[in-house]
Amino acid sequence: SQTIHQWPATLVQPVGSPLSLECTVEGTSNPNLYWYRQAAGRGLQLLFYSVGIGQISSEVPQNLSASRPQDRQFILSSKKLLLSDSGFYLCAWKGDGHNEQFFGPGTRLTVL
Amino acid sequence: AQKVTQVQTEISVVEKEDVTLDCVYETRDTTYYLFWYKQPPSGELVFLIRRNSFDEQNEISGRYSWNFQKSTSSFNFTITASQVVDSAVYFCALSEASRGSYIPTFGRGTSLIVHP
Protein backbone atom coordinates (compact mmCIF):
# COMPACT_ATOMS: atom_id res chain seq x y z
CA SER A 1 0.00 0.00 0.00
CA GLN A 2 1.05 3.58 -0.53
CA THR A 3 2.13 5.92 2.23
CA ILE A 4 3.28 9.50 2.27
CA HIS A 5 5.63 10.99 4.83
CA GLN A 6 6.48 14.55 5.72
CA TRP A 7 9.06 15.90 8.08
CA PRO A 8 9.50 17.62 10.29
CA ALA A 9 6.05 17.63 11.83
CA THR A 10 6.56 21.03 13.44
CA LEU A 11 9.18 23.69 12.95
CA VAL A 12 9.88 27.06 14.52
CA GLN A 13 12.31 29.22 12.59
CA PRO A 14 13.53 32.82 12.86
CA VAL A 15 12.89 35.31 10.09
CA GLY A 16 15.65 35.19 7.50
CA SER A 17 16.63 31.60 8.16
CA PRO A 18 16.56 28.90 5.46
CA LEU A 19 13.91 26.22 5.15
CA SER A 20 13.82 22.67 3.90
CA LEU A 21 10.71 20.50 4.15
CA GLU A 22 10.76 17.00 2.81
CA CYS A 23 8.05 14.77 1.46
CA THR A 24 8.45 11.15 0.37
CA VAL A 25 6.00 8.66 -1.03
CA GLU A 26 6.26 4.89 -0.74
CA GLY A 27 4.55 2.14 -2.64
CA THR A 28 4.07 3.86 -5.97
CA SER A 29 6.16 5.05 -8.88
CA ASN A 30 6.09 8.21 -10.98
CA PRO A 31 3.44 9.95 -8.90
CA ASN A 32 2.35 13.53 -9.40
CA LEU A 33 3.45 15.46 -6.32
CA TYR A 34 2.05 18.66 -4.87
CA TRP A 35 2.88 21.21 -2.17
CA TYR A 36 0.07 23.17 -0.55
CA ARG A 37 0.03 25.81 2.14
CA GLN A 38 -2.85 26.31 4.51
CA ALA A 39 -2.79 29.56 6.42
CA ALA A 40 -5.10 30.37 9.31
CA GLY A 41 -8.59 30.52 7.87
CA ARG A 42 -8.41 27.08 6.25
CA GLY A 43 -8.02 27.80 2.54
CA LEU A 44 -5.66 25.50 0.65
CA GLN A 45 -3.20 27.24 -1.64
CA LEU A 46 -1.34 25.20 -4.23
CA LEU A 47 2.32 26.21 -4.27
CA PHE A 48 4.07 23.75 -6.59
CA TYR A 49 3.42 20.54 -8.43
CA SER A 50 5.61 18.06 -10.22
CA VAL A 51 4.82 15.41 -12.81
CA GLY A 52 8.32 13.91 -12.83
CA ILE A 53 11.91 14.14 -11.65
CA GLY A 54 13.26 17.65 -12.11
CA GLN A 55 9.92 18.95 -13.40
CA ILE A 56 8.48 21.68 -11.22
CA SER A 57 5.57 23.99 -11.90
CA SER A 58 4.97 27.00 -9.71
CA GLU A 59 1.45 28.19 -9.15
CA VAL A 60 2.18 31.25 -7.07
CA PRO A 61 5.42 33.27 -7.29
CA GLN A 62 6.84 33.80 -3.85
CA ASN A 63 9.65 33.26 -1.45
CA LEU A 64 9.66 29.49 -1.83
CA SER A 65 11.07 26.96 -4.27
CA ALA A 66 10.61 23.26 -4.82
CA SER A 67 12.73 20.44 -6.14
CA ARG A 68 12.21 16.80 -7.03
CA PRO A 69 15.60 15.10 -6.93
CA GLN A 70 14.14 11.58 -6.94
CA ASP A 71 10.96 10.03 -8.24
CA ARG A 72 9.26 9.86 -4.87
CA GLN A 73 10.87 12.80 -3.10
CA PHE A 74 9.61 16.36 -3.12
CA ILE A 75 11.37 19.17 -1.26
CA LEU A 76 10.12 22.63 -0.39
CA SER A 77 12.80 25.22 0.31
CA SER A 78 13.43 28.83 1.09
CA LYS A 79 16.67 30.77 1.36
CA LYS A 80 15.24 33.38 3.73
CA LEU A 81 11.98 32.89 5.55
CA LEU A 82 9.46 35.67 5.99
CA LEU A 83 6.86 36.03 8.72
CA SER A 84 4.20 35.44 6.07
CA ASP A 85 5.64 31.99 5.36
CA SER A 86 4.10 30.69 8.59
CA GLY A 87 1.43 28.11 8.01
CA PHE A 88 0.60 24.45 7.61
CA TYR A 89 2.35 22.82 4.67
CA LEU A 90 0.81 19.78 3.09
CA CYS A 91 2.32 17.47 0.54
CA ALA A 92 0.08 15.33 -1.65
CA TRP A 93 0.46 12.69 -4.34
CA LYS A 94 -1.65 11.34 -7.17
CA GLY A 95 -0.98 8.14 -9.00
CA ASP A 96 -2.02 6.70 -12.34
CA GLY A 97 -5.49 5.27 -12.51
CA HIS A 98 -7.19 7.63 -10.13
CA ASN A 99 -7.78 11.36 -9.94
CA GLU A 100 -7.86 12.01 -6.23
CA GLN A 101 -4.92 13.29 -4.24
CA PHE A 102 -3.69 11.73 -1.03
CA PHE A 103 -2.20 13.98 1.59
CA GLY A 104 0.62 13.66 4.05
CA PRO A 105 0.39 14.55 7.75
CA GLY A 106 1.64 18.08 7.18
CA THR A 107 4.32 20.34 8.66
CA ARG A 108 3.34 23.21 10.90
CA LEU A 109 5.81 26.06 10.35
CA THR A 110 6.02 29.08 12.62
CA VAL A 111 8.30 31.92 11.61
CA LEU A 112 9.19 34.29 14.45
CA ALA B 1 -12.30 28.56 -14.81
CA GLN B 2 -13.29 26.09 -12.15
CA LYS B 3 -14.78 27.27 -8.90
CA VAL B 4 -16.06 25.61 -5.74
CA THR B 5 -18.30 27.31 -3.21
CA GLN B 6 -19.01 26.09 0.29
CA VAL B 7 -21.34 28.71 1.69
CA GLN B 8 -21.49 27.23 5.18
CA THR B 9 -18.47 28.43 7.11
CA GLU B 10 -19.35 26.64 10.33
CA ILE B 11 -22.09 24.25 11.39
CA SER B 12 -22.79 23.28 14.97
CA VAL B 13 -25.00 20.29 15.81
CA VAL B 14 -25.72 18.02 18.72
CA GLU B 15 -24.71 14.40 18.53
CA LYS B 16 -27.16 12.14 16.63
CA GLU B 17 -28.47 14.98 14.50
CA ASP B 18 -28.27 14.67 10.72
CA VAL B 19 -26.25 17.35 8.96
CA THR B 20 -25.78 18.30 5.30
CA LEU B 21 -22.74 20.12 3.99
CA ASP B 22 -23.38 22.01 0.78
CA CYS B 23 -21.05 22.28 -2.19
CA VAL B 24 -21.75 24.16 -5.41
CA TYR B 25 -19.31 24.14 -8.31
CA GLU B 26 -18.74 25.89 -11.61
CA THR B 27 -17.01 24.44 -14.64
CA ARG B 28 -17.18 24.61 -18.41
CA ASP B 29 -15.76 21.14 -18.84
CA THR B 30 -18.02 18.23 -19.61
CA THR B 31 -15.62 15.84 -17.90
CA TYR B 32 -14.68 16.67 -14.35
CA TYR B 33 -14.26 15.11 -10.93
CA LEU B 34 -15.64 16.07 -7.56
CA PHE B 35 -14.16 15.18 -4.19
CA TRP B 36 -14.80 15.48 -0.50
CA TYR B 37 -12.01 15.56 2.07
CA LYS B 38 -12.10 15.57 5.86
CA GLN B 39 -9.55 17.48 7.92
CA PRO B 40 -9.68 16.49 11.60
CA PRO B 41 -7.89 18.59 14.25
CA SER B 42 -4.69 16.63 13.59
CA GLY B 43 -4.46 18.42 10.24
CA GLU B 44 -4.11 15.66 7.67
CA LEU B 45 -6.62 15.77 4.84
CA VAL B 46 -8.40 12.47 4.49
CA PHE B 47 -9.92 11.56 1.14
CA LEU B 48 -13.58 10.53 1.44
CA ILE B 49 -15.04 10.20 -2.03
CA ARG B 50 -14.61 10.96 -5.72
CA ARG B 51 -17.42 11.40 -8.19
CA ASN B 52 -17.04 11.53 -11.98
CA SER B 53 -19.15 13.95 -13.96
CA PHE B 54 -20.67 11.16 -16.01
CA ASP B 55 -21.85 9.25 -12.96
CA GLU B 56 -24.68 10.95 -11.12
CA GLN B 57 -25.53 7.99 -8.99
CA ASN B 58 -25.68 8.91 -5.34
CA GLU B 59 -23.54 7.01 -2.91
CA ILE B 60 -23.90 5.85 0.65
CA SER B 61 -21.11 4.65 2.89
CA GLY B 62 -22.23 3.88 6.39
CA ARG B 63 -23.46 7.13 7.93
CA TYR B 64 -22.12 9.16 5.01
CA SER B 65 -24.05 9.87 1.82
CA TRP B 66 -23.42 12.08 -1.16
CA ASN B 67 -25.96 13.69 -3.48
CA PHE B 68 -24.58 14.70 -6.87
CA GLN B 69 -26.91 16.79 -9.05
CA LYS B 70 -25.55 18.15 -12.31
CA SER B 71 -28.72 20.16 -12.92
CA THR B 72 -27.93 22.35 -9.93
CA SER B 73 -24.11 21.88 -10.03
CA SER B 74 -24.14 20.61 -6.50
CA PHE B 75 -22.40 17.80 -4.66
CA ASN B 76 -23.76 17.76 -1.13
CA PHE B 77 -22.56 15.60 1.73
CA THR B 78 -24.85 14.31 4.46
CA ILE B 79 -23.80 12.75 7.75
CA THR B 80 -26.55 10.78 9.42
CA ALA B 81 -26.65 10.45 13.21
CA SER B 82 -23.59 12.62 13.67
CA GLN B 83 -20.96 11.73 16.24
CA VAL B 84 -18.35 13.78 18.08
CA VAL B 85 -15.65 12.13 15.96
CA ASP B 86 -17.21 13.74 12.89
CA SER B 87 -16.03 17.13 14.13
CA ALA B 88 -13.64 18.39 11.46
CA VAL B 89 -13.30 20.76 8.55
CA TYR B 90 -14.73 19.31 5.36
CA PHE B 91 -13.51 20.37 1.94
CA CYS B 92 -15.22 19.95 -1.39
CA ALA B 93 -12.98 20.02 -4.47
CA LEU B 94 -13.26 19.95 -8.25
CA SER B 95 -10.77 19.03 -10.94
CA GLU B 96 -11.29 19.40 -14.65
CA ALA B 97 -10.06 16.79 -17.10
CA SER B 98 -8.88 19.51 -19.46
CA ARG B 99 -6.54 20.93 -16.85
CA GLY B 100 -3.28 19.02 -16.87
CA SER B 101 -1.91 17.32 -13.79
CA TYR B 102 -5.41 17.00 -12.29
CA ILE B 103 -5.02 20.01 -10.09
CA PRO B 104 -8.15 20.44 -7.99
CA THR B 105 -9.74 23.64 -6.83
CA PHE B 106 -10.78 23.42 -3.21
CA GLY B 107 -13.64 25.18 -1.51
CA ARG B 108 -12.87 27.16 1.61
CA GLY B 109 -14.17 24.39 3.81
CA THR B 110 -16.99 23.93 6.30
CA SER B 111 -16.15 23.48 9.95
CA LEU B 112 -18.46 20.94 11.55
CA ILE B 113 -18.70 20.89 15.33
CA VAL B 114 -20.61 18.02 16.89
CA HIS B 115 -21.45 18.52 20.54
CA PRO B 116 -21.98 15.56 22.85
Side-chain angles (χ1 to χ4, degrees):
Chain A
S1 64
Q2 300 88 2
T3 55
I4 179 169
H5 304 279
Q6 286 186 246
W7 61 89
T10 60
L11 191 60
V12 180
Q13 292 284 93
V15 170
S17 63
L19 173 73
S20 181
L21 303 182
E22 189 164 342
C23 170
T24 59
V25 182
E26 295 177 357
T28 186
S29 58
N30 197 33
N32 285 3
L33 295 172
Y34 309 82
W35 275 113
Y36 288 87
R37 177 169 60 199
Q38 187 177 32
R42 300 199 299 266
L44 282 164
Q45 179 186 35
L46 178 65
L47 302 175
F48 302 94
Y49 68 92
S50 171
V51 299
I53 296 175
Q55 301 179 61
I56 307 295
S57 296
S58 174
E59 286 290 298
V60 183
Q62 51 202 315
N63 185 41
L64 302 169
S65 62
S67 62
R68 185 169 176 174
Q70 300 180 39
D71 181 45
R72 289 169 288 179
Q73 184 184 34
F74 204 23
I75 297 173
L76 183 68
S77 303
S78 174
K79 292 182 178 179
K80 288 186 177 182
L81 283 169
L82 306 172
L83 286 174
S84 58
D85 291 324
S86 293
F88 189 52
Y89 289 82
L90 288 156
C91 181
W93 72 276
K94 188 199 83 68
D96 287 336
H98 59 79
N99 300 314
E100 55 271 21
Q101 295 177 337
F102 297 96
F103 286 80
T107 294
R108 199 163 300 278
L109 171 66
T110 303
V111 183
L112 301 175
Chain B
Q2 54 188 24
K3 183 178 177 181
V4 176
T5 303
Q6 295 180 255
V7 295
Q8 303 150 311
T9 303
E10 184 176 297
I11 301 175
S12 183
V13 300
V14 177
E15 208 168 19
K16 297 185 182 178
E17 285 185 37
D18 298 347
V19 58
T20 296
L21 310 180
D22 298 331
C23 174
V24 175
Y25 62 92
E26 294 179 27
T27 178
R28 294 183 178 179
D29 274 29
T30 55
T31 301
Y32 54 89
Y33 308 91
L34 295 162
F35 314 88
W36 275 97
Y37 287 85
K38 174 182 180 180
Q39 187 177 37
S42 61
E44 179 177 349
L45 264 77
V46 177
F47 166 72
L48 297 178
I49 190 172
R50 178 196 70 203
R51 222 55 191 141
N52 305 329
S53 56
F54 45 85
D55 181 6
E56 279 192 80
Q57 188 173 10
N58 293 327
E59 184 159 335
I60 298 174
S61 176
R63 296 184 297 106
Y64 294 173
S65 63
W66 291 270
N67 183 2
F68 176 28
Q69 293 197 339
K70 291 178 75 171
S71 61
T72 56
S73 297
S74 64
F75 186 42
N76 297 337
F77 174 28
T78 298
I79 301 175
T80 303
S82 60
Q83 300 176 2
V84 173
V85 294
D86 295 327
S87 296
V89 180
Y90 291 86
F91 291 93
C92 180
L94 160 74
S95 78
E96 297 169 326
S98 63
R99 185 178 184 188
S101 305
Y102 294 93
I103 298 172
T105 294
F106 285 84
R108 292 192 55 81
T110 296
S111 177
L112 174 63
I113 302 169
V114 181
H115 299 281

